[in-house]
Amino acid sequence: MLNSFAGSATVSFFVGAVPTITSLTPAGGPAGTVVTVSGSGFTGISAVDIGGVTAGFSVTDANTILVTIPAGATTGFLNVTNPVGTAHSLDPFYVGV
């Protein structure tokens, strides 16, 4: 038996690497602090959070993100997500320092 299909389909996929975080500068500060996150695999970043609290961000290039620490955030690890996976900072960002 031969099945025949007519029509079209759209398939989306992302070719890239799981992101990695190598440093946070500064390592602490109050809500509103803009943190430079260095690493790799930042193409296609869809979300950034600190301890589960969503943070605003801007991707500068594949190796740098600027993250604004949101109100309500507490000291915690920074997480960066792209379609391939999530990176976690090696050290926590200290909120309120």
Side-chain angles (χ1 to χ4, degrees), residues 37-49:
V37 179
S38 299
S40 63
F42 293 159
T43 302
I45 294 298
S46 59
V48 175
D49 73 79

Side-chain angles (χ1 to χ4, degrees), residues 4-89:
S4 176
F5 298 97
S8 63
T10 301
V11 176
S12 297
F13 62 94
F14 179 83
V15 176
V18 173
T20 59
I21 297 173
T22 56
S23 69
L24 306 176
T25 307
T33 299
V34 176
V35 181
T36 300
V37 179
S38 299
S40 63
F42 293 159
T43 302
I45 294 298
S46 59
V48 175
D49 73 79
I50 176 169
V53 178
T54 301
F57 67 94
S58 172
V59 177
T60 303
D61 58 43
N63 301 313
T64 309
I65 305 170
L66 299 177
V67 176
T68 301
I69 301 303
T74 58
T75 296
F77 292 93
L78 200 97
N79 305 299
V80 174
T81 302
N82 75 9
V84 180
T86 299
H88 312 284
S89 60

